[in-house]
Amino acid sequence: MPIEVFDSLNTFIKLHVDMSNTKITVVGGGLAGSLMAVYFAKRGYEVNVYERRPDMRNTDISAGKSINLALSTRGIRALERVGLKDAILTEAIAMHGRTMHDENGGLSYQPYGKEGQYINSVSRGGLNIQLLELADENPDVHLHFNHKCIDVDFESGTTMFEDENGDQVTVEADYIVGGDGAFSAVRMAMMTSGRMDFSQDYLDHGYKELEIPPTANGEFALDPNSLHIWPRGEYMMIALPNPDRTFTCTLFYPFTGETSFDTLKSEADVKSFFNTHFSDAVPMMPTLIEDFFNNPTGSLVTVRCYPWVKGKAALIGDACHAVVPFYGQGMNCAFEDCVVLDDCIEKHQGDLDAAFAEYQVLRKDNANAIADLAIQNFFEMRDHVGDADFLHYKQIEHDLCELHPDLFKSQYEMVTFTNVAYSEAKELGAKNTALVMEIIRQGNEDKISDRNFILDQLAKRDAMMA
């Protein structure tokens, strides 16, 4: 047989292998891991998911560390592929904009996008449970809880776990996917095996979860269709609505210093701090003291690394790109990983080596971009959202989006309400910010309805930034 015919036959066999004979170990049964397991199973792979925690369907393991999730376009697309979109959105609460609370109790409002655009407040635990249920319904997915990953052999596809009894369990597979979070054991094994760039950067701020319960008549205590923000310069508090008519509040506050968690040691300290800086919220928080001292103080970390693939293993979600929560894109970005990896598997007809390789190239710059934007948005939310000049800027930006949707999209709109690549949204968003600032500097806000004026401004902007 001629060599070229033999090579062609080998390629055909490789690309059309029976996927039911391919076993995949997914480390981590959180949001990204459980969704990716469903994607794999739908393509006919046999999938074993190993999660270090107990089965959250039977155990409450998230109290005090659950920061509500803001589900938007990217995440919705990922859920739609597995038939969960409608079920999740039915339980979600639409948030159409931000409501800012000043220290005197005054309110101001910013819409997130154009009419009809909103983000969805969803429960992290509730969504994870529905994903686990969906995975469990598939006969090709096998869930294993209380299994801690302790070692990975990237060449053989073997993973070592420790079960709840302390016994070691060796699992052999053809491929491994690490979806085990910001402190990923799979990533750590990659790092210790050599030649991997890695960084983790903590904000000086931590977070503490609190709660606003329903009113006496069972209604929401605040407007449920807003994300509420109490911006205070060095720190802030936010509140997101839940289907049970509670709000999950999160205080973002420095760990150390004169203004920090270190100084809030007693009940009197906490009461004085909240009465001074969040006086309008305190009457709505009857369990403030209990929540403050019972709930843990969480850290906020950005993780970057590369490569995401080693041997037979690939990383997804927070395992390769943990971001701080201030753009509401952590889950959406992780779900987009799953979509892109699934697309790569389709493109390469089941050749996972080729799919993994292309996936990491497609995602790396986008993960870095959303990490940068999330940190940028932290300072915006903390320092600027209550500022009059900033509110004026946001109004002009919003009007441009409404008046000229084919010419102008804000960075937030591109990130949240489209599937435009994060890297592109970052770059074009910066240009559009410069455009709005220049219109305001010129005092030409009254001209923004004039299409020719906007076209001229865009041309000048592009020429200046070329």
Side-chain angles (χ1 to χ4, degrees):
M1 180 183 297
I3 290 176
E4 61 269 22
V5 175
F6 178 79
D7 287 343
S8 178
L9 180 60
N10 271 351
T11 301
F12 179 85
I13 292 171
K14 185 177 183 182
L15 295 182
H16 293 81
V17 65
D18 181 358
M19 293 178 187
S20 65
N21 293 325
T22 302
K23 295 183 179 180
I24 299 175
T25 297
V26 175
V27 182
L31 297 171
S34 54
L35 178 62
M36 197 64 228
V38 175
Y39 277 14
F40 280 132
K42 282 183 170 291
R43 292 196 174 276
Y45 295 102
E46 182 181 343
V47 187
N48 281 277
V49 180
Y50 290 86
E51 166 58 47
R52 66 177 176 81
R53 300 169 298 178
D55 187 345
M56 68 188 310
R57 295 171 294 178
N58 308 317
T59 311
D60 183 9
I61 59 176
S62 61
K65 290 192 71 175
S66 63
I67 298 180
N68 291 47
L69 301 170
L71 178 65
S72 54
T73 298
R74 298 168 201 269
I76 291 170
R77 176 177 63 156
L79 294 173
E80 188 171 26
R81 284 197 179 189
V82 295
L84 267 187
K85 171 189 169 184
D86 292 341
I88 298 302
L89 291 180
T90 298
E91 295 295 320
I93 299 176
M95 297 185 296
H96 295 267
R98 301 166 168 171
T99 295
M100 279 69 67
H101 300 243
D102 67 27
E103 287 200 304
N104 298 316
L107 304 179
S108 55
Y109 178 77
Q110 291 173 10
Y112 278 131
K114 300 191 288 286
E115 185 70 27
Q117 290 180 327
Y118 53 86
I119 59 177
N120 300 275
S121 177
V122 300
S123 161
R124 175 186 297 272
L127 176 54
N128 205 159
I129 285 171
Q130 291 199 58
L131 285 168
L132 288 171
E133 292 285 2
L134 185 63
D136 218 4
E137 291 172 4
N138 194 304
D140 290 327
V141 179
H142 315 284
L143 304 177
H144 311 267
F145 298 95
N146 297 302
H147 279 70
K148 178 183 177 182
C149 179
I150 56 176
D151 198 14
V152 182
D153 185 325
F154 298 105
E155 298 310 313
S156 69
T158 301
T159 313
M160 184 79 73
F161 297 93
E162 183 180 278
D163 68 15
E164 58 188 320
N165 299 316
D167 296 328
Q168 291 189 353
V169 179
T170 301
V171 178
E172 296 182 355
D174 298 288
Y175 293 91
I176 301 164
V177 170
D180 50 337
F183 304 102
S184 166
V186 179
R187 186 190 68 235
M188 181 61 69
M190 284 187 177
M191 291 163 56
T192 55
S193 67
R195 295 191 62 79
M196 183 182 199
D197 293 329
F198 170 78
S199 70
Q200 64 178 26
D201 299 288
Y202 286 92
L203 288 182
D204 293 334
H205 292 61
Y207 69 90
K208 177 82 71 172
E209 288 199 356
L210 310 165
E211 183 179 83
I212 293 178
T215 62
N217 62 358
E219 298 302 319
F220 283 106
L222 297 165
D223 172 20
N225 298 121
S226 289
L227 185 152
H228 293 263
I229 307 176
W230 290 257
R232 298 296 182 262
E234 293 183 48
Y235 52 89
M236 68 175 174
M237 185 170 73
I238 67 171
L240 283 82
N242 299 307
D244 63 359
R245 291 185 168 79
T246 63
F247 280 86
T248 299
C249 299
T250 309
L251 172 67
F252 297 99
Y253 203 51
F255 276 107
T256 60
E258 293 184 10
T259 304
S260 70
F261 282 116
D262 273 356
T263 65
L264 301 179
K265 297 298 186 184
S266 68
E267 290 188 12
D269 293 336
V270 175
K271 287 179 180 178
S272 175
F273 170 69
F274 275 84
N275 282 325
T276 300
H277 300 290
F278 307 108
S279 58
D280 66 327
V282 170
M284 298 181 283
M285 305 172 77
T287 60
L288 169 62
I289 299 302
E290 294 88 337
D291 292 342
F292 190 91
F293 288 104
N294 291 337
N295 290 343
T297 303
S299 298
L300 298 163
V301 65
T302 299
V303 170
R304 305 174 199 252
C305 67
Y306 202 77
W308 297 355
V309 175
K310 189 174 185 67
K312 297 296 184 181
L315 301 173
I316 60 172
D318 285 359
C320 46
H321 55 66
V323 300
V324 294
F326 303 106
Y327 222 115
Q329 286 295 307
M331 171 197 62
N332 293 289
C333 183
F335 282 1
E336 193 170 58
D337 286 351
C338 299
V339 169
V340 172
L341 180 51
D342 190 51
D343 286 344
C344 290
I345 296 170
E346 173 76 21
K347 175 181 175 180
H348 293 285
Q349 301 180 54
D351 181 347
L352 290 185
D353 294 304
F356 282 1
E358 183 172 9
Y359 150 76
Q360 68 172 347
V361 171
L362 291 173
R363 293 301 289 159
K364 177 180 180 290
D365 288 347
N366 291 310
N368 286 339
I370 194 57
D372 293 339
L373 291 173
I375 294 170
Q376 173 186 306
N377 215 39
F378 166 62
F379 294 106
E380 177 179 303
M381 292 172 69
R382 188 191 71 174
D383 300 342
H384 302 306
V385 293
D387 179 76
D389 289 338
F390 181 77
L391 291 173
H392 178 59
Y393 163 85
K394 294 301 287 187
Q395 183 62 57
I396 300 304
E397 181 184 68
H398 177 264
D399 290 345
L400 283 168
C401 292
E402 289 276 7
L403 291 166
H404 310 287
D406 60 324
L407 299 178
F408 187 94
K409 286 183 172 60
S410 70
Q411 186 174 82
Y412 190 89
E413 182 179 358
M414 286 185 282
V415 167
T416 307
F417 302 121
T418 78
N419 292 306
V420 170
Y422 286 128
S423 56
E424 183 180 342
K426 178 185 175 185
E427 180 180 355
L428 184 56
K431 290 181 178 180
N432 285 346
T433 296
L435 172 68
V436 177
M437 296 298 291
E438 180 62 17
I439 290 172
I440 293 173
R441 188 193 68 78
Q442 296 170 357
N444 284 330
E445 295 96 318
D446 60 336
K447 297 181 180 179
I448 63 173
S449 61
D450 183 340
R451 185 177 179 84
N452 289 328
F453 170 76
I454 297 302
L455 285 168
D456 182 58
Q457 292 295 307
L458 288 167
K460 290 177 179 178
R461 179 205 67 184
D462 293 343
M464 184 173 60
M465 293 187 167

